[in-house]
Amino acid sequence: MKPIKRTIPNVIRLMQDAVGDNDRIGYYENIMVTMYATVLLVVAALMNFLVRYFILTLNFQDSIIDSLIFFLIGIAFFIVVKINIKIKLMTLLISGLSLITSVYISIRFYDIIGPAIWTVAFIQISLALIRITKTMLYALELAVLIAFVHIFMRTINSPTFDLDIIYYVVQSVLFIVLCIVFVAVHKIGTDRYYGIEKQYNDVLKKNAEIKILNNNLVNSEQKVKNLAYHDQLTGLPNRYFLANKLSNDIFSSIKNQEIFGILYLDLDDFKMINDTMGHDSGDQVLIQVSKRLVSAMGKNDTVARIGGDEFIILISDCEEIDNINNIAEKILNNFKKPFKINCQDCFLTTSLGLAVYPADGEDAETLIKNADIAMYKAKNKGKNQYMRCLSEMKKNVDDTMKITNGLYQALERNEFELYYQPQVCSATEEIVGLEALIRWHHPEWGMVLPTTFIHIAEQTSLICSIGAWVLRTACTQNKAWQDAGLPKLRIGVNLSPREFYNDNLVDDVKRILKKSGLDHQYLELEITESAAMNEQEHMIDILNTFKAMGIHIAIDDFGTDYASFNYLKQLPIDRIKIPMTFVQGLHTSIKDEAIIKAIIIMAKNMGLKTIAEGVETKNQLDFLNQRMCDEIQGFYYYKPMPANEIEKLLKDFGQAKEISKEVQ
Ligand code: C2E
Ligand code: MG
Ligand code: MG
C-alpha cells in the first residue's frame, strides 16, 4: 500500500472509498488503531514518568522503567504499520500488542492508577468497535478477564475489610457489567459487520458465478464461432471462413497492389470410393487429403474445405502467376503417393482450377466461380490436371447464365414460337408430315435457335415445361389445320432425353392429346439415341405405352450418338431419321454414303421407315431416292416456317392436289 496522510478524517475518508475492498479497509483500520495506540502509549509513558518522579517522588529508575515499556510498545505499534507485511499478519501483531498493553496495564498499574484500567478498557472497546476483528475481540476479552481475576484475587486476599474491598467489589461488578455490555456491543457490531460481510461475500460469490458464466459464454461463443467457420470432419476452415479471408486479402491486395491466387480442387471419382469402400473410408480419405494439402502449403496459405470433396486453397504469398502454376503442379505430384485406407493403398487424383486476383475476378464470388469453371474444364479434359480460367470459359458460363435466366421468363412472356418444317414423300413429292421446331424471340437478342438454348434448358427442369408447351402448341395447331380442311398430316415433336425423367410424361401427353382433340396417329415423337440409352427399361415401357396409344416414334439423328443395334431391336420405333451430318457428306465422303446405304437397308429389313434430314441439293436427293429412302426433310424442299406460312403452303398444296385429281 502506498503511504497515506495519517489524519483521522483522511483515514476515515479513505476507508469509505475502499468499501468492498476488504484488504484496503483492513489496512486503514490498522492505521487507525496504531494512531490511537501510539498517541495513547506515548502520552501514558510521559504521564507515568511525571507522576512517579515528580508527584510520588520515586527514584528515576523506578519512574522511567514503565514509561520506557509504554514508549517501546507505542513505537512497536507505529513500526508494525510501517513495515511491509501482509495485512493479516499486521492485524495479528496489532492485536498481540493490544493484548500485551492491556494485560501489562491491568496488572502492573492497578495500585497506582486503578481507574486507568477503565480508560484502557473503554479505549480498547472503542477500538474494537472500529476494528471489529475476531482476534482483537478475543484479545480484549482476555485482557478484561485477567484484570477481573486480578481484582478478584486481591479482594479475597485482603486481610481486612476496608473501603478498598467495597471499591474492588464495585469495580468487579462494573467489570462484569462491562464484559456483558462489551459482549453485547461486540455481538451487535459483529452481527452488523458479518451481515455486511455476508452480503459482501454473497456478492463476491455471485460475481465469481457471473465470471464463470461469462467464461462459459466466451467459450461457447468461441465454440460456435469454430463450428460456424470450420469443417467438422477435417477441422479445416469452411466456405464462410474462406469468404471472409478472401475479402480481407482482396482489401490488402488493393492497398499493396499485389496479386494472389486461388486453387479450386475437386477429387476425381471420389464418389467411387464412397460407393465401393463406404462413407467411413471416404471420410478417412478426406481427412488424409486435408492433411496432405495443409502440409504442402505455406503457413500464410489457407486450405479450406468447401463441400464434399471440394477444397479451395488461397495462395496469399505469390508474386507471379507462375508460382501458382508451380503450386498446382506440386499438389498434383503430392497425390501420386497412395493414401492408406483400412491398411490398403488407395490411389487418387484431383483436378484443379486456378484463378488469379484481379485478372480472373475482382470479388470473392467471381474468383471462386471462375476457378470452379476452370476446374470443370480440367475434369472434362481428362482429370488429374490443372487449368487456369480463360476468358472464353468465363464468357461461355456467363452466356449460359444469361440464357438460363432468360428462359425462366420466356414462357411467361410468350417469347417462344413453333416453326414447322415439311417432310416430303420421296416417291410422290407430297408433304406427309411436319416437324415442329422451337424458336425463341428474345427481346434483345432477336431470334435464338434451339441449338443455343435447348441443351441449357435440359440442365434444368425448364425443359419439361418447354416440352409440354411445344407438344400442346403443335397438337393444337395440327388439329386446327385439320379442322380447317387442310390435309391431315403427321406432326413430329422432339422429346428431350431429360423429359423421360418426368414421371408425368405419359399423363401429360395423354392429357394434351385429349385436350387438343388430335387423333393419336397424327403425332410422332422424336427421341434421340442418348435418351434410348439411359434407363432403358423405363424408357422402353414409356415408348411401348405411346406405341399402344397409336403414337408414332421416330429415332432422331440416328448413328450420331451410341447407335446400339440392341436398343434398336427392343424399341418400338416406326421411323429412323438419317442425320444431316451424313446427308451432307453425300458425294464427298464414301464413308457417309456407306453409312446411309447401310441405315436404309437395315431399316427396310427391320420394317422401319427412313427419313433423311438436311437434304439441300438435287444430288443428295437423287442419291437418297435411288437408295429408296422413304421421306425427305430439308431445305431442298422446304425450310422450317412459321405457322401462317405453313398454312398458306398447305392450302396451295391442297388445291394443287385437287387440280391434279381433276386432271386425272
Ligand atoms: P432436329 O430435331 O434434328 O431438327 C432438324 C434440324 O435441322 C432443325 O434445326 C432444322 O432447321 C435443321 N434442318 C433441316 N433441314 C435442313 C437443311 O437442309 N439444312 C440445314 N442446314 N439445316 C436443316 P433447328 O430447328 O435449329 O433445331 C435443331 C435441333 O434442336 C433439333 O434437331 C432438335 O434436336 C432441337 N429442337 C428443336 N426444337 C425442339 C423442341 O421443340 N424440343 C426439343 N427437345 N428439341 C428441339
Ligand atoms: Mg428432330
Ligand atoms: Mg435430327
Side-chain angles (χ1 to χ4, degrees), residues 435-437 493-494 526 556-557 577 613 633:
E435 181 177 4
L437 296 161
V493 172
N494 292 286
E526 297 189 8
D556 205 353
D557 300 330
K577 295 193 81 173
E613 284 187 297
Q633 177 182 348

Side-chain angles (χ1 to χ4, degrees), residues 281-564:
S281 302
D283 286 354
Q284 289 310 310
V285 170
L286 291 171
I287 292 169
Q288 288 185 36
V289 166
S290 357
K291 284 186 183 153
R292 222 177 256 194
L293 290 176
V294 170
S295 64
M297 304 310 301
K299 65 177 187 314
N300 290 334
D301 303 327
T302 307
V303 181
R305 180 175 174 227
I306 56 155
D309 62 340
E310 294 179 359
F311 297 82
I312 284 188
I313 301 170
L314 179 58
I315 306 157
S316 299
D317 290 340
C318 74
E319 276 136 29
E320 47 194 72
I321 292 170
D322 271 354
N323 288 354
I324 308 175
N325 292 340
N326 292 342
I327 290 172
E329 202 80 61
K330 188 173 155 191
I331 291 172
L332 288 176
N333 284 333
N334 229 292
F335 272 73
K336 286 186 179 152
K337 284 178 281 169
F339 292 87
K340 268 256 179 301
I341 305 297
N342 303 334
C343 305
Q344 249 182 293
D345 278 352
C346 168
F347 287 89
L348 204 69
T349 59
T350 180
S351 302
L352 296 149
L354 199 154
V356 179
Y357 173 86
D360 300 329
E362 292 187 5
D363 58 83
E365 204 184 320
T366 318
L367 268 176
I368 294 178
K369 190 187 81 186
N370 288 339
D372 189 14
I373 294 169
M375 184 274 290
Y376 268 101
K377 284 283 162 196
K379 277 215 189 282
N380 288 342
K381 273 190 74 186
K383 305 176 183 171
N384 193 22
Q385 56 189 299
Y386 69 90
M387 284 203 79
R388 164 105 187 265
C389 177
L390 303 171
S391 50
E392 179 199 324
M393 291 181 201
K394 283 184 258 177
K395 194 179 169 301
N396 283 347
V397 172
D398 287 348
D399 289 351
T400 305
M401 189 81 107
K402 278 185 198 152
I403 290 173
T404 312
N405 291 341
L407 282 175
Y408 273 105
Q409 294 167 340
L411 267 179
E412 273 174 40
R413 296 185 185 169
N414 236 349
E415 290 170 2
F416 290 125
E417 186 189 358
L418 280 192
Y419 272 39
Y420 301 89
Q421 187 175 27
Q423 296 169 332
V424 176
C425 170
S426 311
T428 61
E429 292 203 313
E430 281 180 7
I431 299 174
V432 284
L434 298 163
E435 181 177 4
L437 296 161
I438 193 166
R439 299 291 180 261
W440 179 17
H441 299 285
H442 190 276
E444 281 172 41
W445 312 326
M447 187 193 278
V448 187
L449 290 175
T451 35
T452 313
F453 67 87
I454 286 290
H455 66 282
I456 295 174
E458 279 173 338
Q459 284 159 26
T460 67
S461 57
L462 269 171
I463 190 64
C464 296
S465 323
I466 295 175
W469 178 85
V470 171
L471 188 67
R472 199 168 43 244
T473 313
C475 292
T476 315
Q477 181 64 78
N478 198 16
K479 175 74 172 132
W481 283 328
Q482 291 183 6
D483 290 350
L486 296 174
K488 295 195 172 189
L489 303 175
R490 170 188 86 219
I491 189 126
V493 172
N494 292 286
L495 260 193
S496 154
R498 182 66 210 266
E499 287 178 80
F500 283 91
Y501 293 104
N502 172 13
D503 292 339
N504 302 324
L505 178 65
V506 174
D507 290 342
D508 285 351
V509 173
K510 278 184 186 166
R511 197 171 24 89
I512 288 170
L513 275 171
K514 195 171 171 201
K515 202 160 176 222
S516 65
L518 182 72
D519 197 325
H520 296 189
Q521 59 170 312
Y522 296 114
L523 174 65
E524 180 163 84
L525 294 174
E526 297 189 8
I527 59 156
T528 55
E529 286 167 321
S530 54
M533 289 293 291
N534 297 326
E535 309 244 350
Q536 39 163 315
E537 293 300 322
H538 170 69
M539 164 89 186
I540 292 170
D541 283 352
I542 293 179
L543 290 182
N544 280 329
T545 312
F546 288 151
K547 185 79 189 157
M549 286 164 65
I551 298 170
H552 295 266
I553 313 284
I555 195 141
D556 205 353
D557 300 330
F558 179 76
T560 50
D561 234 325
Y562 301 96
S564 162

Side-chain angles (χ1 to χ4, degrees), residues 152-194:
F152 186 71
M153 293 306 289
R154 283 191 62 139
T155 311
I156 295 171
N157 292 338
S158 177
T160 53
F161 180 81
D162 54 21
L163 272 177
D164 272 2
I165 293 179
I166 296 170
Y167 180 67
Y168 294 148
V169 169
V170 170
Q171 272 199 352
S172 299
V173 171
L174 281 174
F175 259 116
I176 292 165
V177 172
L178 178 67
C179 275
I180 293 167
V181 170
F182 177 67
V183 169
V185 168
H186 168 217
K187 179 101 181 70
I188 296 164
T190 48
D191 279 359
R192 183 173 54 86
Y193 178 79
Y194 288 119

